[in-house]
Amino acid sequence: MKILLVNPTGHKIGMDHFLKAPPLGLMILAATVPDHEVEILDLRNFNYSPSYFEKKVQKFDILGVTSSTSMINEALQLCKIAKEHDVKTIIGGYHPSLVPETAMYPQVDLTVKGEGELTFPEVINALEYSNNLVNELKEIKGINFRIDSKLYQTERRPPINLDESPFPRRDLVKKYDYHYFWASIDALESSRGCPHQCHFCCISHHWGRGWRAKSPERIIEEFNHMDIKKRWFVFNDSESTLNMKRIEKICDLTKEYGYHKKWKSCQGRVDDIVKNPKIMDKMADAGWRMIFIGIESIHQKSLDTIGKRITINQIKKAVKMCHDRGITLFGSIIIGNLGETKEEVKETIRFASDLNIDIMQFTPLTPYPATKLHKQAKENGWIIDEDYTNWNLVNPIMRTPDLSADEIFELVKWAYRDFYFRFKEKHVNSFFLRSLRRFILHPKFWWFFKMARGFVLNGLKVAPDFMADLKSKEYLEIEKQKEEKKRLKQLKKLEKKKRKKEKVEKKTKKPSSSPSKKVEPLLVTEIRK
């Protein structure tokens, strides 16, 4: 069968302007059906017209779409187009795991919940060969579908051994140019899940409770399959550092097999970092150049409410430990934590600047379906926007007891402006100056200058779009007033020009005189008379 796997599009907003990551989940799924013709279409990271997709999907038997919550409306639209051409449709990814009712849409044949490595090939086999499709689907674990306008959910599939997961089909995305801040990347998955239960997080609802990891030996095999020409090897995990002994073994093998020269990034926890300084030394030697950490807040009461299980001192110490080893930090802060006032949010934002975090992402508190926060927000009537398209970690879709959604949105925009664009203050600790100072004075950061040219030149190109999203309500009102003044000025100018033209025309026009009698020419004979 011919299968088209699609990563849906979405409006680029916030850090989307700077990052393009491969659809690793689709690449793994493609590897589970080697006997079928598979193609991956990445609409999220590259532009294709709707007409292109419609012409494309007609050539396939099955459409598989991955979807987060913010992309579900686009995924449903793609499925609708496919159904108009009698193409079978399947949706997987986070959202259908969180919202089983996704399978009730008429344009969706079924949804896959949780892991798809075993489920997806069984579904494809049923769609191709079954004579009694409904009964056979009932026997497949990990799917949802409709029977007589009712939702049917099969039992959840047990977690797989990740070392047995197939290697991603990287050959299917070679035509795409993925990057982190315009340095080329290849990605791998080394673990799934998270044992922690932060009230806003939906990871355990998708992957199941607990944390599973691939062995260090399997990670080296992954490296063998990756594109050695890429600048970065990115660990696409929710938490990579929960077992630091495993990370230590990965570092040892990385050096043994010569992969220590490739830059690496992963997501980690500050408590894992501070407890393992010697392993952090090994990570730096093995090529780690960036770690993503969830700071979330400077206020301990907020961290406790979230269920983060870290302290402010651990955050400070982890930042220093990473910087001492030439490892940059990509931090994340939640804007609008429950119980925080406007001033407390601003204190957290300034805290990120004072810590010299290298890259910051500021996201509004978002109650994803099935989470503890979602249940709490529903019960209290805090959710003000049910359109999933806006659940994109930039637009606030809920209020809190202390802040309205508008106030949260203004704080998100203020956070980005304050952290990155504090030019007018001529502050010695403005983002560009403090980063440049650290990178120049600290030899362990000199690796950055290999990607600095692309970062700066391309950053300048997308900066206007990035900053356009960050304009405050007051600034937008000022811009509106300026545009109105400009429009009125142009109207006055045109009116003045019109009057001047009329005046000139009036002056050049000759006054009308009474018509004189026409003098008839005299005939020669008349003159002689």
Side-chain angles (χ1 to χ4, degrees):
M1 298 184 80
K2 296 185 70 176
I3 304 169
L4 180 63
L5 300 177
V6 178
N7 192 25
T9 187
H11 172 61
K12 284 187 173 57
I13 194 165
M15 298 308 292
D16 290 341
H17 294 292
F18 304 95
L19 311 172
K20 283 186 179 181
L24 199 58
L26 294 182
M27 294 156 62
I28 293 172
L29 280 189
T32 66
V33 285
D35 297 329
H36 298 273
E37 184 180 337
V38 184
E39 185 172 335
I40 292 178
L41 185 62
D42 192 344
L43 299 176
R44 179 166 178 76
N45 291 308
F46 301 92
N47 297 323
Y48 295 94
S49 66
S51 60
Y52 174 87
F53 172 77
E54 186 167 7
K55 290 178 182 177
K56 185 84 172 176
V57 76
Q58 296 177 44
K59 302 173 184 177
F60 291 84
D61 303 303
I62 295 173
L63 171 68
V65 187
T66 184
S67 181
S68 63
T69 294
S70 66
M71 295 191 294
I72 188 59
N73 289 334
E74 176 64 23
L76 291 171
Q77 181 59 31
L78 296 175
C79 289
K80 185 178 179 180
I81 294 171
K83 292 305 290 181
E84 291 172 356
H85 300 282
D86 297 321
V87 178
K88 296 291 185 183
T89 58
I90 305 169
I91 297 183
Y94 272 88
H95 189 78
S97 296
L98 307 179
V99 184
E101 293 77 15
T102 305
M104 293 302 293
Y105 286 93
Q107 64 265 48
V108 180
D109 287 308
L110 62 90
T111 62
V112 175
K113 52 190 176 185
E115 295 174 324
E117 281 96 332
L118 300 181
T119 304
F120 187 66
E122 289 182 16
V123 167
I124 298 301
N125 187 66
L127 291 175
E128 184 174 21
Y129 297 112
S130 179
N131 294 319
N132 191 338
L133 183 60
V134 172
N135 286 338
E136 188 157 343
L137 289 178
K138 286 181 179 179
E139 300 300 316
I140 298 176
K141 295 177 181 179
I143 63 172
N144 301 327
F145 58 97
R146 294 184 314 280
I147 300 180
D148 298 328
S149 301
K150 292 182 180 179
L151 178 64
Y152 189 90
Q153 303 184 61
T154 67
E155 66 175 286
R156 195 174 184 94
R157 188 176 291 276
I160 66 169
N161 180 347
L162 293 183
D163 278 353
E164 296 175 0
S165 178
F167 294 101
R169 287 285 306 275
R170 293 183 170 86
D171 58 302
L172 297 180
V173 296
K174 276 190 174 181
K175 60 184 176 182
Y176 299 116
D177 181 23
Y178 297 107
H179 66 78
Y180 273 15
F181 305 99
W182 299 279
S184 60
I185 68 167
D186 202 346
L188 72 154
E189 180 190 52
S190 83
S191 66
R192 286 179 186 169
C194 180
H196 303 285
Q197 296 295 307
C198 296
H199 73 159
F200 62 83
C201 186
C202 59
I203 289 171
S204 62
H205 298 281
H206 177 59
W207 296 121
R209 292 291 300 270
W211 180 79
R212 291 165 292 140
K214 293 178 181 177
S215 65
E217 291 76 16
R218 169 59 191 256
I219 301 305
I220 297 302
E221 288 186 68
E222 294 272 355
F223 287 171
N224 292 337
H225 283 77
M226 294 170 75
D227 188 348
I228 198 68
K229 295 178 182 178
K230 302 297 184 183
R231 180 76 75 179
W232 287 91
F233 281 4
V234 177
F235 285 66
N236 193 29
D237 308 340
S238 302
E239 294 290 353
S240 297
T241 61
L242 288 174
N243 182 346
M244 289 296 274
K245 291 294 183 184
R246 181 186 79 112
I247 291 292
E248 183 177 27
K249 179 65 173 176
I250 291 172
C251 291
D252 291 340
L253 291 176
T254 296
K255 294 197 74 174
E256 181 181 338
Y257 285 89
Y259 287 111
H260 57 287
K261 293 182 180 180
K262 303 307 301 179
W263 298 348
K264 300 167 192 69
S265 74
C266 71
Q267 182 165 325
R269 286 178 56 88
V270 297
D271 50 349
D272 296 326
I273 293 172
V274 299
K275 292 174 185 175
N276 297 279
K278 291 184 179 179
I279 297 177
M280 289 300 298
D281 289 337
K282 287 194 171 186
M283 290 179 73
D285 290 341
W288 258 263
R289 295 294 178 261
M290 179 179 286
I291 297 179
F292 181 97
I293 58 172
I295 297 170
E296 318 310 3
S297 177
I298 190 182
H299 305 288
Q300 193 62 50
K301 62 175 185 177
S302 295
L303 295 175
D304 295 340
T305 299
I306 290 169
K308 192 71 178 177
R309 299 180 185 176
I310 59 173
T311 67
I312 306 303
N313 285 334
Q314 284 177 329
I315 295 171
K316 292 178 179 177
K317 189 174 180 180
V319 172
K320 186 178 186 307
M321 284 178 62
C322 287
H323 281 169
D324 286 347
R325 291 161 175 79
I327 298 174
T328 56
L329 285 166
F330 192 143
S332 177
I333 282 175
I334 293 175
I335 304 296
N337 285 301
L338 297 181
E340 288 189 0
T341 64
K342 186 183 292 187
E343 287 307 312
E344 286 175 322
V345 173
K346 288 188 174 182
E347 287 173 7
T348 297
I349 296 164
R350 291 286 186 176
F351 172 70
S353 296
D354 295 339
L355 276 179
N356 285 337
I357 302 290
D358 302 282
I359 299 292
M360 276 303 309
Q361 174 178 277
F362 301 95
T363 61
L365 185 64
T366 302
Y368 280 111
T371 62
K372 294 177 183 177
L373 178 61
H374 186 267
K375 182 180 179 182
Q376 187 179 5
K378 274 288 191 182
E379 289 173 350
N380 290 280
W382 293 339
I383 298 175
I384 54 94
D385 189 347
E386 298 282 359
D387 183 355
Y388 284 138
T389 303
N390 297 324
W391 292 43
N392 52 22
L393 294 178
V394 174
N395 294 311
I397 51 84
M398 68 171 282
R399 63 178 179 84
T400 70
D402 300 282
L403 296 167
S404 69
D406 282 344
E407 287 175 320
I408 293 173
F409 195 26
E410 292 305 308
L411 283 168
V412 170
K413 293 187 286 187
W414 185 86
Y416 277 113
R417 292 197 311 271
D418 185 76
F419 186 85
Y420 289 107
F421 303 111
R422 241 192 294 164
F423 291 122
K424 291 183 179 179
E425 297 180 15
K426 295 182 180 177
H427 200 285
V428 292
N429 277 328
S430 64
F431 171 72
F432 294 100
L433 288 177
R434 69 173 180 264
S435 299
L436 189 61
R437 183 169 59 246
R438 182 169 66 258
F439 290 164
I440 290 175
L441 297 179
H442 200 321
K444 289 187 177 181
F445 282 109
W446 287 357
W447 60 265
F448 171 77
F449 293 104
K450 292 180 181 179
M451 62 173 281
R453 186 174 182 274
F455 177 81
V456 172
L457 294 179
N458 290 290
L460 291 173
K461 291 178 184 177
V462 303
D465 292 331
F466 176 63
M467 290 186 287
D469 299 328
L470 309 179
K471 294 175 182 176
S472 67
K473 189 185 294 184
E474 294 81 5
Y475 187 85
L476 289 171
E477 184 59 34
I478 292 170
E479 274 197 337
K480 186 178 178 182
Q481 291 173 5
K482 284 182 178 179
E483 286 297 318
E484 182 63 17
K485 285 181 181 179
K486 186 178 178 180
R487 188 181 70 84
L488 291 173
K489 189 176 179 181
Q490 286 176 337
L491 285 175
K492 286 180 180 178
K493 191 175 180 180
L494 288 171
E495 188 65 29
K496 187 177 179 181
K497 190 176 180 180
K498 185 180 178 182
R499 288 198 302 267
K500 187 177 179 181
K501 185 179 179 182
E502 288 175 349
K503 192 174 179 181
V504 171
E505 287 177 349
K506 192 173 181 181
K507 282 183 178 181
T508 56
K509 190 175 181 182
K510 292 182 178 180
S512 60
S513 56
S514 57
S516 57
K517 290 183 178 181
K518 188 174 181 181
V519 180
E520 294 292 341
L522 293 175
L523 294 173
V524 175
T525 54
E526 290 178 342
I527 294 173
R528 286 176 179 175
K529 288 179 180 179

